[in-house]
Amino acid sequence: MAEKQTLQKPLPKRLLHEHLAPYKYRFGQACFFMLLTAASTAALPFLLQPVFDDVFTTNDPRLLFVFCAAVLSAFVIKGFASYGETVTMTRIGQSIISDVQNRVFSHLMSLDLEYFHKINSGELLSRFTNDITLMRNSVANTVVGIGRDSFTLVFLIGVMFYRDWFLACLSFFIFPAAFLPIIRIGRRMRKVTFNAQEEIGRFTKQLTQIFQGIRVIKAYSTENYEANRAKLQIEKIYKLVVKTSRVRSLSHPIIESMGGVAIISVIAYGGWQVMHHSRTTGEFISFIGALILAYEPLKRLSNLNANLQEGLAAADRVFEIIDTKRTILSPLKPKHPAKVQGRIEYKNVHFSYDPKKKALEGINFTAQAGKCIALVGASGSGKSTIINLIPRFYDINAGEISIDEINVRDWEITHLRKQIALVSQEIALFDLSVFENITYGCEDFSKDDVYSVAKSAAAHDFIQKLPQGYDTIVGENGVSLSGGQRQRLAIARAMLKKAPILLLDEATSALDTDSERHIQSALKKLMVGRTTIMVAHRLSTVIDADQIYVLDSGQIIESGSHQELLQLNKQYAHLWHRQAQGLDS
Ligand code: ADP
Ligand code: MG
């Protein structure tokens, strides 16, 4: 069962440990630029004191020149350092995002099939796009500013303390009071963003469902119904996004008012002292300059928290994927048999998708190497389940499934899956050419091999009639193919795989009877020397099987060859006669 790990370090720490570490050197470089920016910013108010107290009073033009040069250098250094810092930090931040994205993707690819059945594809899509974008923006807005602003602040505070420690204490007694509500705003921000992202995910999910079911929507004229449903969701997202912005901006009135109070207190007290000559004008101007300059970075830092929380909310959803553990893994000492015969054995296998309902109950059978067995039975009786347990798409609850007398759990998992060619009801074609679709996942083939399997799968002729032949792009954005044509490509793909085990789950169900007959002979050729388990709805396709198993509610109720089952005159015979009379085709 896929589960979320609960005992984890807090997210920001994890991001630092797991993702910032590789960029240590670069980060050091960025810190250097940050220090430079901060120092050159603080140099300006610092210089104001000598300008007022010395230059203006001594009337020395040389001194004036020296100070002008110093101020200009401070500005120029600040400009270049700030450029260097932004570029370096953007590189680091965006590299981290790309790393996370790659990590999520590879992790996702490794997850068990069960996970994909449970989570909606739209939801996943949304995490990949919306949440990652939000993380990207958050990084752009926060990481770049966070260091520079905090360093600058430290330097400016330094100047203030140097100039007048009492005034500095006074202003910083007032400023921090503003921070307490701001931290709370940050927390609320994370929650609101999380909700907004959830709703956006839900909307993406709704959209993918709608696009997949567009035919049904048209046929049942539910366009307006869907439009209304979408409208409700869009409205919900609108409200949450506005709320996010409102919460984020809540810090403005607080910070502005507090800033005002701090500054007027300082001006009142300091000004009074200047009037009474207990301090020089230069000292006071220098102090006020530093205070006013500190105000902007402080404001930005308070906003950064909201921004950061927004990114963390998105990261929460992204890391949820990373923290999902796969359970179907190779064992510690995997078996890797070189020569595989393909004997499949089910020993008293019990399996259920969810604990409430059994899907398979005590299944026993053996498919000798190179033989063909068939599974028949009503839909929902467990035929596909039996097929899906062989490549270990799921692990069974009790009993044993073995290939060549080795439990499938002891096999190295990719090696196990390499031995199996699967053609199922759902045929996936990718947005690639016909040629690439046939050779998908296959490493070792020649062009002639591809043509030859296409011919055997009765696909060569229709492929040649496609606009660009084998180079025609098929799949979602390519030429549309009929169900039968898609199935023939899937069969060709399986043929090319040269695996000793062949699993056919209603592989010919999308074909009309004519094409089915056509392809049947191809499949016969394919089955030679391979162990085949076939599921077929039309019994005419299974009569040649070495052994036929009839399933009902997850149990085998009859087995034997076609003739034996007919003589038994039970379920199978009943079904056969119905199909023969054309009552059920
Ligand atoms: P068949 O292929 O014979 O039509 P299946 O093997 O697909 O039947 O299904 C057997 C039973 O298991 C059915 O009751 C079905 O509802 C259930 N089932 C199949 N796939 C899943 C799944 N991914 N999650 C939960 N239940 C499933
Ligand atoms: Mg099925």
Side-chain angles (χ1 to χ4, degrees):
M1 219 108 316
E3 61 200 38
K4 207 191 147 195
Q5 207 175 338
T6 41
L7 279 174
Q8 283 287 1
K9 273 188 261 175
L11 195 53
K13 253 196 194 152
R14 288 187 67 193
L15 277 166
L16 289 183
H17 279 217
E18 295 167 21
H19 288 278
L20 186 65
Y23 300 102
K24 264 191 290 212
Y25 173 72
R26 264 236 168 101
F27 189 68
Q29 208 178 338
C31 282
F32 170 73
F33 284 127
M34 283 176 202
L35 280 173
L36 217 53
T37 316
S40 49
T41 307
L44 295 171
F46 186 83
L47 287 173
L48 284 176
Q49 189 265 335
V51 168
F52 274 83
D53 291 348
D54 306 334
V55 181
F56 290 176
T57 50
T58 54
N59 292 327
D60 182 353
R62 270 199 335 213
L63 211 53
L64 185 61
F65 174 77
V66 168
F67 279 105
C68 284
V71 171
L72 180 64
S73 325
F75 270 103
V76 172
I77 292 174
K78 188 180 166 195
F80 279 100
S82 161
Y83 167 82
E85 190 258 353
T86 308
V87 171
T88 321
M89 280 312 280
T90 305
R91 274 221 184 107
I92 297 174
Q94 300 303 338
S95 303
I96 290 177
I97 297 291
S98 303
D99 293 347
V100 169
Q101 213 167 0
N102 280 320
R103 184 171 168 203
V104 173
F105 187 78
S106 353
H107 185 73
L108 200 59
M109 285 296 100
S110 78
L111 284 179
D112 303 333
L113 205 63
E114 185 187 7
Y115 179 76
F116 293 89
H117 282 159
K118 280 197 178 145
I119 197 159
N120 180 281
S121 55
E123 173 78 41
L124 269 183
L125 219 63
S126 167
R127 291 195 190 190
F128 250 89
T129 52
N130 297 323
D131 287 307
I132 300 250
T133 307
L134 204 59
M135 280 174 75
R136 231 177 239 294
N137 291 342
S138 170
V139 161
N141 294 335
T142 54
V143 177
V144 174
I146 213 161
R148 183 174 50 199
D149 283 335
S150 42
F151 277 131
T152 305
L153 210 55
V154 168
F155 272 72
L156 287 172
I157 292 171
V159 171
M160 287 160 75
F161 270 94
Y162 182 73
R163 289 294 175 228
D164 189 328
W165 65 269
F166 182 74
L167 264 187
C169 287
L170 181 71
S171 11
F172 284 97
F173 183 68
I174 302 165
F175 265 155
F179 270 107
L180 294 172
I182 282 163
I183 288 168
R184 286 187 44 200
I185 289 171
R187 277 196 213 118
R188 241 181 103 191
M189 189 67 203
R190 190 155 168 183
K191 203 171 138 240
V192 175
T193 307
F194 192 84
N195 292 344
Q197 291 301 101
E198 288 275 307
E199 289 304 330
I200 291 172
R202 218 161 279 162
F203 188 50
T204 320
K205 177 159 116 186
Q206 195 173 336
L207 285 179
T208 41
Q209 274 168 4
I210 284 170
F211 298 149
Q212 277 161 11
I214 192 73
R215 206 191 286 262
V216 178
I217 291 170
K218 295 271 168 212
Y220 287 83
S221 302
T222 53
E223 292 98 334
N224 283 336
Y225 169 74
E226 288 301 343
N228 281 332
R229 227 156 56 101
K231 200 172 155 194
L232 283 179
Q233 191 61 19
I234 290 169
E235 174 89 16
K236 232 187 221 171
I237 293 171
Y238 160 80
K239 282 191 181 143
L240 279 168
V241 169
V242 170
K243 192 169 173 188
T244 320
S245 167
R246 203 159 44 94
V247 172
R248 188 193 300 131
S249 310
L250 261 181
S251 63
H252 297 182
I254 299 170
I255 272 280
E256 297 289 347
S257 319
M258 289 301 197
V261 170
I263 286 176
I264 57 153
S265 326
V266 168
I267 291 179
Y269 178 76
W272 187 78
Q273 279 193 319
V274 173
M275 283 175 207
H276 291 80
H277 302 288
S278 55
R279 93 186 44 244
T280 68
T281 319
E283 275 172 351
F284 183 57
I285 297 272
S286 172
F287 183 89
I288 287 283
L291 182 64
I292 290 176
L293 279 178
Y295 184 54
E296 279 304 316
L298 193 68
K299 236 169 63 179
R300 272 200 303 269
L301 277 178
S302 72
N303 259 334
L304 276 183
N305 187 39
N307 252 320
L308 188 68
Q309 297 303 334
E310 208 170 21
L312 285 177
D316 257 342
R317 288 161 48 80
V318 171
F319 270 73
E320 210 173 271
I321 301 177
I322 290 181
D323 292 338
T324 308
K325 294 263 174 272
R326 58 184 294 197
T327 51
I328 298 181
L329 294 160
S330 289
L332 286 176
K333 286 190 188 133
K335 298 210 168 116
H336 212 284
K339 188 89 187 75
V340 180
Q341 305 292 328
R343 177 182 186 274
I344 303 169
E345 188 173 6
Y346 262 64
K347 271 191 234 155
N348 197 24
V349 171
H350 290 260
F351 173 72
S352 50
Y353 291 98
D354 57 75
K356 283 179 230 107
K357 193 166 152 258
K358 282 215 153 195
L360 295 182
E361 279 188 82
I363 299 287
N364 284 293
F365 69 80
T366 306
Q368 295 299 345
K371 299 284 185 201
C372 169
I373 71 158
L375 306 172
V376 299
S379 73
S381 57
K383 306 180 296 289
S384 301
T385 306
I386 292 188
I387 297 258
N388 289 336
L389 293 178
I390 298 169
R392 259 190 99 192
F393 289 155
Y394 297 88
D395 271 338
I396 57 177
N397 306 120
E400 185 183 327
I401 301 173
S402 61
I403 293 177
D404 286 1
E405 320 253 333
I406 302 170
N407 191 327
V408 286
R409 284 182 197 242
D410 296 331
W411 281 71
E412 201 280 314
I413 195 140
T414 36
H415 188 63
L416 168 72
R417 290 178 181 168
K418 274 212 174 93
Q419 311 307 322
I420 298 167
L422 170 70
V423 185
S424 65
Q425 289 147 294
E426 39 186 292
I427 299 150
L429 292 184
F430 300 95
D431 258 337
L432 299 168
S433 69
V434 170
F435 191 88
E436 288 162 315
N437 263 292
I438 295 177
T439 59
Y440 191 80
C442 194
E443 285 144 15
D444 162 36
F445 58 85
S446 72
K447 266 194 164 173
D448 286 331
D449 291 340
V450 177
Y451 299 145
S452 128
V453 293
K455 277 183 192 138
S456 306
H460 185 71
D461 289 342
F462 89 77
I463 294 172
Q464 283 200 312
K465 287 190 196 123
L466 291 174
Q468 281 95 39
Y470 278 85
D471 296 325
T472 313
I473 303 292
V474 292
E476 191 149 5
N477 296 323
V479 169
S480 359
L481 298 177
S482 74
Q485 288 171 328
R486 295 163 69 89
Q487 205 135 24
R488 279 181 255 178
L489 290 188
I491 291 171
R493 186 191 285 164
M495 285 176 166
L496 197 64
K497 193 170 175 183
K498 298 193 192 85
I501 293 171
L502 183 63
L503 303 177
L504 303 171
D505 190 356
E506 307 207 20
T508 54
S509 63
L511 302 178
D512 51 80
T513 331
D514 250 7
S515 324
E516 184 170 34
R517 205 164 296 143
H518 202 73
I519 222 167
Q520 210 69 47
S521 59
L523 283 178
K524 285 254 161 61
K525 262 187 257 165
L526 178 63
M527 288 179 206
V528 175
R530 290 181 163 101
T531 315
T532 308
I533 298 187
M534 65 185 319
V535 171
H537 186 64
R538 259 179 237 130
L539 297 186
S540 56
T541 54
V542 305
I543 41 182
D544 293 330
D546 296 300
Q547 190 81 352
I548 300 169
Y549 294 91
V550 185
L551 276 143
D552 185 37
S553 313
Q555 289 174 314
I556 293 175
I557 50 168
E558 285 170 36
S559 66
S561 68
H562 175 67
Q563 285 307 330
E564 287 164 358
L565 286 172
L566 282 187
Q567 273 157 20
L568 195 67
N569 201 19
K570 281 190 177 160
Q571 283 274 350
Y572 183 85
H574 182 66
L575 213 61
W576 172 259
H577 292 304
R578 274 173 68 88
Q579 285 195 3
Q581 284 162 17
L583 290 172
D584 181 13
S585 67

